[in-house]
């Protein structure tokens, strides 16, 4: 069905009719291209019966597309701007599948939200086109909440999307790549030019999809999660240094240089190797070994 919101003229009309001025502080750049919206909903593979969380619905261009795909499922849209929520109430007044929540997604307890609004235990999917400066903390907040997620599809600044998906031995591989990949498998689904937004942002975007692993071996292997992420942070805080130096001179954890040397030798890792060249499995293995040595 034709998207009645995602065109430049329809978006301008809605903004005018509701006397809305866009808030730069909330990153209000609206999608006005139905092809991009189709790509987001296709990547979400909506079967119709899910519990979908949309963060930052704005005036509802994605919201409309998701609602069209839902049959028995439900959509919970979380929007921080009360003025936008009023517009959404108006546009979707008849829509029984939609619940609107006027809240800051950064402050939400997702476990409580899932328990309250998804009591029927539908598969949970998340969809979002958010201001770029809050996308990473919001997505990490959802991942860390440990609600069981079937799929996440979100728009993000190109640079951030590339960092999320990066692998070892690349410049973009870093703490964010490991933090996301620890939970789910990321993939860049589509490159998005800034011309599909009103107003146009200064940067290009990508659509990122996160899917669950068939079996999350990372989570199974790690002996102590907190310690593992301290090791990861130490490695990438001083990514130009050798692994031995970045671990023994870390500002995050206090590790004895001899202990680090012994751990690396036992792992069969050259002392001059840089941490950024390690795979996530190698980081897990070193972290587990050092953790056990310090206990
Ligand atoms: N999804 C719409 C679209 O694609 O056209 C709007 C996207 S606009 C980039 C981001 C939306 O997120 C805005 O409506 C903004 O008010 C909302 N937003 C910003 N910060 C938020 C937060 N912390 N929690 C929930 N919504 C937020």
């Amino acid at each position: 069905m034709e998207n009645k919101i995602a065109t430049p003229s329809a978006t301008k009309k809605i903004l005018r009719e509701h006397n809305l001025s866009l808030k730069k502080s909330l990153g209000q750049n609206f999608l006005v291209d139905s092809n991009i919206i189709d790509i987001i909903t296709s990547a979400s593979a909506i079967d119709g019966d899910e519990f979908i969380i949309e963060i930052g619905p704005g005036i509802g261009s994605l919201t409309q597309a998701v609602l069209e795909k839902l049959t028995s499922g439900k959509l919970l849209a979380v929007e921080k701007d009360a003025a936008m929520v009023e517009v959404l109430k108006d546009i979707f007044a008849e829509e029984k599948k939609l619940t609107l929540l006027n809240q800051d997604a950064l402050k939400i307890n997702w476990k409580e939200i899932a328990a309250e609004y998804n009591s029927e235990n539908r598969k949970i999917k998340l969809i979002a086109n958010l201001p770029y400066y809050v996308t990473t903390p919001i997505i990490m907040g959802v991942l860390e909440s440990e609600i069981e997620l079937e799929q996440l599809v979100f728009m993000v600044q190109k640079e951030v999307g590339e960092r999320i998906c990066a692998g070892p031995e690349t410049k973009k591989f870093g703490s964010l790549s490991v933090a996301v990949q620890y939970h789910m498998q990321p993939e860049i689904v589509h490159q998005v030019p800034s011309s599909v937004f009103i107003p146009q942002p200064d940067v290009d975007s990508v659509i990122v999809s996160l899917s669950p692993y068939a079996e999350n071996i990372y989570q199974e292997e790690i002996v102590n999660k907190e310690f593992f992420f301290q090791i990861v942070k130490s490695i990438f805080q001083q990514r130009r240094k050798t692994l031995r130096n970045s671990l023994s001179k870390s500002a995050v954890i206090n590790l004895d240089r001899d202990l680090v040397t012994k751990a690396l030798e036992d792992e069969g890792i050259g002392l001059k190797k840089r941490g950024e060249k390690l795979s996530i499995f190698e980081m897990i293995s070193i972290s587990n070994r050092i953790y056990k040595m310090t206990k």
Side-chain angles (χ1 to χ4, degrees):
M1 199 195 285
E2 187 199 348
N3 192 309
K4 294 194 198 77
I5 303 167
T7 68
S9 56
T11 294
K12 283 180 193 157
K13 187 162 175 260
I14 291 171
L15 296 175
R16 212 175 34 244
E17 281 174 358
H18 291 84
N19 209 9
L20 284 172
S21 45
L22 296 183
K23 299 186 181 76
K24 219 177 169 190
S25 63
L26 287 177
Q28 291 178 342
N29 304 86
F30 297 121
L31 258 174
V32 291
D33 184 320
S34 54
N35 291 327
I36 298 295
I37 289 177
D38 287 347
I39 292 168
I40 297 176
T41 52
S42 302
S44 309
I46 299 168
D47 67 23
D49 186 41
E50 298 94 333
F51 174 68
I52 299 195
I53 301 171
E54 182 187 359
I55 309 180
I59 57 169
S61 52
L62 258 169
T63 319
Q64 186 198 321
V66 172
L67 286 169
E68 273 166 19
K69 299 223 175 247
L70 285 179
T71 47
S72 48
K74 286 186 178 169
L75 172 60
L76 176 79
V78 182
E79 170 59 60
K80 186 174 174 182
D81 187 350
M84 294 296 152
V85 174
E86 288 311 309
V87 177
L88 293 165
K89 274 188 194 159
D90 191 22
I91 297 178
F92 299 107
E94 306 295 319
E95 195 45 84
K96 303 259 183 308
K97 290 172 278 183
L98 174 67
T99 305
L100 293 167
L101 216 55
N102 182 202
Q103 279 189 37
D104 180 344
L106 279 169
K107 297 187 182 149
I108 280 185
N109 179 326
W110 296 105
K111 272 226 146 128
E112 283 176 14
I113 287 285
E116 185 173 349
Y117 294 96
N118 187 30
S119 50
E120 288 125 330
N121 262 327
R122 294 185 157 88
K123 283 183 289 186
I124 305 178
K125 291 185 178 168
L126 182 139
I127 215 163
N129 172 23
L130 280 163
Y132 295 142
Y133 53 88
V134 288
T135 310
T136 304
I138 288 178
I139 296 299
M140 285 315 301
V142 176
L143 292 175
E144 289 291 327
S145 75
E146 288 173 4
I147 55 172
E148 202 176 313
L149 290 153
E150 186 81 6
Q151 186 93 37
L152 289 84
V153 179
F154 54 91
M155 182 97 75
V156 74
Q157 185 179 341
K158 187 169 176 224
E159 161 72 20
V160 178
E162 287 171 352
R163 278 171 40 215
I164 287 174
C165 299
E169 309 229 19
T170 62
K171 270 198 199 141
K172 300 210 163 128
F173 187 50
S175 295
L176 180 62
S177 329
V178 180
V180 173
Q181 290 169 33
Y182 165 81
H183 293 280
M184 292 179 98
Q185 176 75 57
E187 183 197 354
I188 291 181
V189 176
H190 196 76
Q191 309 271 343
V192 182
S194 59
S195 56
V196 301
F197 298 95
I198 283 184
Q200 290 189 16
D202 298 332
V203 290
D204 286 333
S205 312
V206 288
I207 299 167
V208 174
S209 158
L210 305 184
S211 311
Y213 297 106
E215 201 184 341
N216 193 326
I217 308 169
Y218 295 147
Q219 294 188 1
E220 280 167 20
E221 288 288 311
I222 292 172
V223 172
N224 184 296
K225 183 182 166 194
E226 194 189 339
F227 189 81
F228 169 71
F229 279 105
Q230 286 175 339
I231 293 280
V232 172
K233 209 166 170 192
S234 307
I235 288 173
F236 290 110
Q237 258 183 0
Q238 308 185 70
R239 57 187 301 146
R240 311 304 301 164
K241 290 198 170 159
T242 63
L243 193 51
R244 176 161 65 167
N245 281 344
S246 56
L247 292 180
S248 61
K249 293 180 180 164
S250 165
V252 187
I253 28 172
N254 200 358
L255 292 175
D256 177 74
R257 191 171 172 80
D258 291 340
L259 181 142
V260 171
T261 307
K262 168 104 177 64
L264 294 177
E265 281 169 355
D266 290 352
E267 284 290 313
I269 290 177
L271 297 179
K272 295 238 160 78
K273 187 161 182 170
R274 286 204 201 126
E276 62 186 2
K277 297 204 180 259
L278 298 178
S279 68
I280 298 182
F281 273 123
E282 286 173 311
M283 290 183 201
I284 292 172
S285 187
I286 288 175
S287 140
N288 285 348
R289 186 177 291 276
I290 297 180
Y291 182 74
K292 285 176 193 157
M293 286 165 81
T294 54
K295 291 292 131 195

